[in-house]
């Protein structure tokens, strides 16, 4: 609080100079920030220097929304991006970028189209095995990915000029998405306060990094379970938990061991770097996620990227209106998979053709032969604005977290068509709340897709349930975006938030789990039993000796 | 949200009629509530009927502050109070009260003065044993207390006229302090949504009711430990944890078994009733408390009762100003213990007499003979306003949570003189943060009290540390009072908050702790080992038979 006064104001001027964003909007910003200083001092830390290490693809979509808001509040943002990035532009009015030669393989978009075929094969396995088969695919990807990341991190830390440049910039904060490890490693190396913008929490869904997560009711990511598990499901969840622990120790962490040895104090591992996060901004909340324990440095900001719908273009608005009372179905499968297998595409198109509704479909590639007149294919669509349109009746989605929150925000029921990664977990969350149906690509036919679509469109409970979720989602003390900004600025103002971090982090595992204490208790009980037996024996011996003596007399 | 519109507005008018609080203030309230409906609909649920079962003494002090705020927002409050209550007035402009014949023994204030002498004796035990001795005293008190409470609860539930009256009132919410069980039992019986206003969480500091609480870093209440424990301290904490579990199962819960059998479904126990709480408003936060896991239905509102200092009376202001540059020491030992042993009082008075500061001491009983001219004795003092006065240099306090938060709020260092219950835990929390010194009544002398006082007054670190805590305490996204009100109204609006409750509640202990899953794993591993050994033996036998055959040929 104390240092958010004149010093911070001077920093604000610095940042404005650097951004060179002049004119009226900049004037208004300075004025607002000034007012903010006068009336709301504790909540302002404008003009700070924030280093951002984002993740490409859909993760960037939400990180960018956050950066826009931080920029509006006068912060000076530097983004570290791969020179080959798909999504993260090198030139932006809201940040300065630094190109780094990292993630050489992520730019291969066909990689995920190929992966989809493997996942579809996996999903044909028996129900219990399916998630493990899929996890195995992810493990292989992780193995490769972490090696690439470790090389990229080593390249950075081994480059004294690059590191000097970052050190000289005197950043106030590292804001990163820990789905990739580069930001975590770099932030720890530069000893910067750290804020994570994160969807999933690794290692058994965060038992160690976040809070104790009883396997009996906290489903591990990838398990496709919820918090009400049968006995068999609890066994499955435990296996996923153990798998994730083994994966971390055998595969993920060892990829970095050389790097840690060379650049960090002895005993450093990936978990210990994650412990250093001051605040975890988690992109869910308990309208969507199942209730679970969390430490005080975890803040839920689910749906922070959602906004009220803006008007559509004239053409699109005319298309929406042409749907009449039947309304419109919106379909989008996100950023990662660019093409479904042709037979799946044909079935979907044929099913759509049978609907009285109109359909807007975000689509790349060759036009399906079975496409109906009611279906509009678009390479890109204003998803948020379409979901908020009063004519929209259902959302056919792959189940990315961003899309799920937009559906919740606007109260639109979902037909989930999960393809990869957490998408199966995400659509399951809406399904158990009666707000979604799920159809899988591996078994999708024109008939079952149409049946599910009609169910979603005609059964009122789906709409009622998602609107109940929407109502709860909007019923928060503060908007998720304001919450996110507050905690980012909190960490900057207070130079960290160590007082919110778990003391469990500093304990070795045997102390954390009280194994040492239990051992002492067992030893004491053992000693007591042994001593009791010994005393009994001695007493018995004496008695029998006495008896013998009596007899012998 | 939907039902906070016209229906809630009609309710608001009802409540105003009932309260009969007319005039300008009421007009302004209605106007504000109207504006609130227009602009902030999701955060309004005014005009609801709230049944409150508070706890007498210092707990009432903060409950009343909350009720005042709820009244201001147009809610209609009914308070259940003991006919013999010390603190809770039967007539109030903010609530209607219902007298019940409960807590016959709590009105004996000398009980706690006597208990203090027993606690002082306990505190003379060796360091490791001290807290257990004290816990034993509390256990005896609990045993007696829960029997009284169970009788009082039975009297209510057995009285059909009383219950009918409550049912007919159609309350929207039970707001209670679960330190006493009456509100929890009554709220569950009436099937009302429930909000707890709570300081401590029972059963091993809430492992089951709130969230998993690893004994390795979550100190159990009464243990006087913090989150950084040595091995011996972790053993102590585990013993306190086990003690609290045994206490619950052997002593607390059985007191109610007859009541539960007669009035609740089979399998009901006290914990299961506590699980039903929709929101736990916990009267701490992580400026004061050590970071610990919590479930999403736990909301921290520490210091919600704190307010900016108001001007003092002319006499008191003149006294404060007369202290000159030395300033003033404020002393108050809370509401429960009315008199310290005379020798302790004399030592304190003599030490005060040696200070260059002036002293304001909340004091009942005979004036100490060693009292200096610099010391003003008052039967009651405006504690909040004195702590916020610029002349105040230190606060000599017993360590009640309310007082500790007022010290934090105003940034005044504390000399703790803990007497009973959680006061030892509370002052320990400020001590480990370098914001307090602690002197115990059992060993208090003029010399050591004076030394500690001078240390607090002359060493700048105490003031710096508590001001750092104060700064962090004020640096919150919303004021704790607004947070409390938001969540109370949230529960009313949404008729509960079941979606924030742990699914772990519905599991039997062996499933919660995965004992059943572990048993299956052990059995499978056992069967695998047994089968391996069997196969090896069969193979070995065959070989040796062959060898024998070869030999015999």
């Amino acid at each position: 609080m104390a240092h958010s006064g004149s010093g911070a104001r001077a920093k604000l001027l610095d940042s404005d100079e650097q951004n060179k964003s002049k004119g009226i909007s900049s004037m208004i910003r300075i004025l607002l920030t000034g007012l903010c200083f006068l009336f709301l001092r504790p909540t302002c830390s404008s003009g700070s220097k924030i280093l951002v290490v984002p993740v490409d693809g859909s993760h960037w979509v939400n990180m960018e929304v956050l950066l826009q808001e931080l920029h509006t509040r006068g912060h000076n943002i530097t983004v570290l991006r791969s020179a080959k990035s798909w999504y993260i532009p090198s030139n932006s009015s809201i940040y300065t970028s630094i190109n780094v030669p990292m993630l050489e393989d992520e730019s291969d978009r066909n990689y995920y189209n190929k992966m989809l075929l493997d996942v579809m094969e996996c999903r044909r396995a028996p129900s219990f095995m399916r998630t493990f088969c899929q996890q195995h695919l992810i493990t292989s990807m992780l193995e490769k990915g972490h090696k690439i990341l470790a090389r990229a991190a080593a390249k950075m830390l081994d480059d004294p000029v690059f590191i000097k440049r970052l050190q000289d910039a005197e950043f106030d904060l590292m804001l990163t998405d820990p789905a990739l490890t580069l930001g975590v490693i770099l932030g720890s190396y530069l000893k910067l306060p750290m804020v994570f913008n994160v969807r999933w929490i690794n290692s058994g869904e965060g038992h160690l990094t976040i809070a104790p997560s009883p396997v009996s009711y906290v489903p591990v990511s990838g398990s496709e379970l919820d918090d009400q598990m049968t006995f068999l499901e609890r066994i499955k969840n435990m296996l996923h938990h153990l798998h994730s622990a083994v994966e971390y120790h055998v595969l993920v962490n060892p990829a970095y061991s050389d790097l840690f040895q060379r650049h960090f104090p002895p005993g450093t591992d990936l978990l210990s770097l994650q412990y250093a996060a001051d605040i975890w901004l988690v992109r869910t909340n308990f309208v969507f996620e199942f209730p679970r324990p969390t430490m005080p440095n975890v803040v839920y900001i689910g749906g922070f990227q959602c906004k009220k719908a803006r008007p559509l273009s004239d053409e699109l608005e005319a298309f929406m209106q042409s749907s009449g009372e039947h309304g419109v179905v919106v379909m989008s499968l996100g950023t990662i998979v660019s093409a479904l297998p042709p037979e799946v595409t044909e079935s979907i198109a044929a099913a759509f053709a049978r609907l009285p509704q109109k359909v807007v479909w975000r689509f790349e590639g060759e036009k399906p032969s079975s496409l109906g007149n009611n279906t509009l294919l678009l390479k890109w669509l204003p998803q948020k604005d379409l979901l908020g349109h009063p004519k929209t009746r259902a959302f056919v989605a792959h189940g990315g977290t961003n899309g799920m929150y937009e559906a919740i925000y606007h109260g639109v029921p979902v037909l989930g068509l999960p393809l990869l990664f957490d998408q199966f977990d995400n659509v399951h969350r809406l399904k158990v709340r009666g707000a979604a149906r799920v159809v899988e690509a591996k078994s999708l036919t024109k008939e079952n897709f149409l049946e599910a679509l009609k169910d979603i469109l005609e059964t009122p409970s789906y709409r009622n349930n998602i609107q109940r979720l929407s109502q709860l989602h909007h019923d928060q003390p503060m908007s998720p975006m304001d919450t996110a900004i507050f905690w980012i600025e909190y960490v900057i103002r207070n130079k960290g938030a160590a007082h919110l971090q778990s003391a469990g982090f500093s304990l070795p595992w045997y102390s954390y789990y009280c194994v040492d204490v239990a051992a002492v208790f067992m030893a004491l009980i053992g000693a007591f039993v042994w001593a009791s037996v010994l005393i009994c024996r001695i007493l018995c011996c004496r008695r029998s000796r006495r008896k013998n003596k009596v007899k012998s007399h």
Side-chain angles (χ1 to χ4, degrees), chain A:
Chain A
M1 240 164 15
H3 54 271
S4 62
S6 59
R9 197 175 301 186
K11 276 188 188 173
L12 170 74
L13 295 177
D14 282 354
S15 96
D16 281 324
E17 244 179 310
Q18 285 173 24
N19 287 334
K20 288 176 188 151
S21 62
K22 288 181 181 164
I24 294 173
S25 73
S26 152
M27 288 277 287
I28 291 172
R29 205 173 61 237
I30 293 172
L31 192 68
L32 281 175
T33 318
L35 284 172
C36 177
F37 276 121
L38 284 173
F39 296 108
L40 290 166
R41 281 184 58 201
T43 60
C44 296
S45 332
S46 301
S48 300
K49 293 180 182 174
I50 303 175
L51 178 60
V52 181
V53 182
V55 169
D56 217 323
S58 61
H59 290 231
W60 168 250
V61 174
N62 63 61
M63 183 65 102
E64 195 183 19
V65 177
L66 202 54
L67 299 189
Q68 263 158 355
E69 188 66 27
L70 287 168
H71 172 72
T72 310
R73 298 173 65 94
H75 296 290
N76 178 10
I77 301 161
T78 304
V79 171
L80 234 66
R81 66 182 281 284
S82 160
K84 291 183 190 171
S85 171
W86 319 340
Y87 259 73
I88 308 172
S90 62
N91 294 319
S92 163
S93 62
I94 61 168
Y95 60 79
T96 313
S97 69
I98 299 177
N99 286 346
V100 284
M102 58 180 181
L103 310 181
E104 44 254 65
D105 277 36
E106 212 199 347
S107 53
D108 177 10
R109 291 196 62 188
N110 276 325
Y111 178 81
Y112 295 106
N113 290 352
K114 283 176 232 150
M115 195 177 183
L116 171 62
L117 299 179
D118 294 337
V119 168
M120 282 169 69
E121 196 50 46
C122 263
R123 307 289 304 176
R124 292 193 178 100
S127 153
F128 192 89
M129 293 309 298
R130 173 176 307 167
T131 52
F132 294 104
C133 171
Q134 207 168 324
Q135 207 62 38
H136 177 70
L137 288 178
I138 294 175
T139 301
S140 315
M141 197 192 74
L142 281 182
E143 189 171 8
K144 200 174 146 198
H146 281 288
K147 279 181 188 157
I148 295 173
L149 286 167
R151 278 204 304 277
K155 230 181 231 174
M156 286 188 207
L157 301 196
D158 288 339
D159 181 347
V161 178
F162 175 78
I163 291 294
K164 180 86 174 36
R165 184 179 165 194
L166 294 184
Q167 281 167 338
D168 288 350
E170 293 187 345
F171 291 106
D172 298 298
L173 184 80
M174 163 65 81
L175 173 63
T176 189
D177 185 330
L180 298 188
T181 50
L182 283 181
V184 184
I185 293 170
L186 200 60
S188 299
Y189 186 80
L190 296 171
K191 296 192 173 61
L192 293 177
M194 268 199 288
V195 173
F196 288 172
N197 170 14
V198 55
R199 166 65 184 102
W200 293 98
I201 301 150
N202 54 6
S203 274
E205 196 45 14
H207 185 98
L208 287 171
T209 44
I210 289 294
S213 311
V215 179
S216 51
Y217 68 89
V218 179
V220 173
S221 52
S223 66
E224 294 169 38
L225 295 168
D226 49 74
D227 61 346
Q228 313 272 352
M229 300 179 223
T230 62
F231 178 61
L232 212 62
E233 285 172 340
R234 277 185 284 117
I235 288 184
K236 186 181 177 183
N237 200 39
M238 179 62 90
L239 288 172
H240 271 282
H241 179 79
L242 296 174
H243 175 272
S244 118
V246 171
E247 188 181 75
Y248 169 77
H249 287 288
V250 173
L251 191 147
V252 177
N253 194 54
Y256 301 90
S257 50
D258 174 57
L259 181 81
F260 293 151
Q261 268 178 7
R262 290 192 297 117
H263 291 286
F264 288 89
T268 300
D269 65 357
L270 209 51
L271 272 184
S272 68
L273 298 189
Q274 290 187 345
Y275 294 160
D278 291 286
I279 294 286
W280 294 66
L281 298 174
V282 181
R283 297 195 294 269
T284 59
N285 60 22
F286 296 102
V287 165
F288 183 60
E289 199 47 77
F290 306 112
R292 54 153 295 141
T294 29
M295 288 302 286
N297 63 342
V298 177
V299 176
Y300 292 92
I301 57 159
F304 74 97
Q305 79 282 12
C306 300
K307 284 178 184 164
K308 281 188 180 163
R310 290 164 306 180
L312 300 171
S313 67
D314 291 346
E315 297 82 14
L316 211 46
E317 182 61 39
F319 181 81
M320 297 299 280
Q321 292 304 338
S322 73
S323 67
E325 61 179 289
H326 293 298
V328 177
V329 173
V330 177
M331 171 160 175
S332 170
L333 298 182
T335 55
I336 284 189
V337 172
S338 59
L340 292 174
E343 66 280 10
V344 176
T345 308
E346 286 296 341
S347 302
I348 292 173
F352 280 152
R354 296 278 299 278
L355 287 181
Q357 281 76 19
K358 298 243 166 165
V359 179
V360 187
W361 185 354
R362 178 177 166 176
F363 189 88
E364 281 183 63
E366 210 173 314
K367 189 173 153 182
S369 63
S370 51
L371 199 76
N373 290 333
N374 64 340
T375 306
L376 177 67
L377 300 184
L378 291 174
K379 277 206 173 176
W380 177 89
L381 50 77
Q383 186 172 298
K384 291 177 192 179
D385 307 329
L386 280 171
L387 290 177
H389 195 282
K391 288 282 182 199
T392 301
R393 298 285 181 270
F395 181 32
V396 181
H398 65 310
T401 312
N402 293 341
M404 293 298 92
Y405 265 100
E406 283 160 19
I408 291 172
Y409 184 90
H410 294 294
V412 179
V414 169
L415 175 56
L417 180 55
L419 305 173
L420 294 173
F421 308 129
D422 60 347
Q423 297 161 11
F424 297 89
D425 279 312
N426 288 340
V427 291
H428 183 69
R429 275 152 179 72
L430 284 192
K431 186 183 159 192
V432 295
R433 289 176 174 97
R437 278 279 303 260
V438 178
V439 175
E440 290 214 25
K442 60 138 190 193
S443 55
L444 190 148
T445 62
K446 177 185 150 193
E447 287 71 28
N448 64 15
F449 189 74
L450 185 62
E451 181 274 322
L453 256 178
K454 284 196 164 175
D455 187 25
I456 286 283
L457 289 164
E458 290 164 14
T459 313
S461 67
Y462 293 105
R463 178 161 283 267
N464 295 344
N465 288 331
I466 199 135
Q467 291 199 337
R468 162 84 178 156
L469 295 183
S470 186
Q471 178 186 318
L472 288 173
H473 176 74
H474 284 94
D475 196 355
Q476 296 189 52
M478 249 172 105
S479 82
M481 177 59 95
D482 286 343
T483 307
I485 297 294
F486 175 86
W487 287 104
I488 290 172
E489 295 189 336
Y490 180 94
V491 171
I492 296 173
R493 267 197 301 278
N494 298 297
K495 303 189 191 310
H499 66 291
L500 300 179
Q501 289 172 335
S502 169
F505 291 168
S506 58
L507 293 171
W509 69 268
Y510 51 85
S511 300
Y512 179 91
Y513 290 107
C514 291
V515 175
D516 47 3
V517 171
V520 167
F521 281 21
M522 303 285 259
L524 285 177
I525 292 169
F528 177 76
V529 171
W530 179 78
S532 309
V533 170
L534 202 71
I535 290 166
C536 283
R537 275 198 187 172
I538 290 169
L539 291 176
C540 290
C541 282
R542 277 191 191 170
R543 267 194 200 174
S544 56
R545 262 186 224 160
R546 267 184 214 163
K547 275 185 187 172
N548 288 345
K549 269 188 189 178
V550 171
K551 274 186 186 173
S552 63
H553 280 287

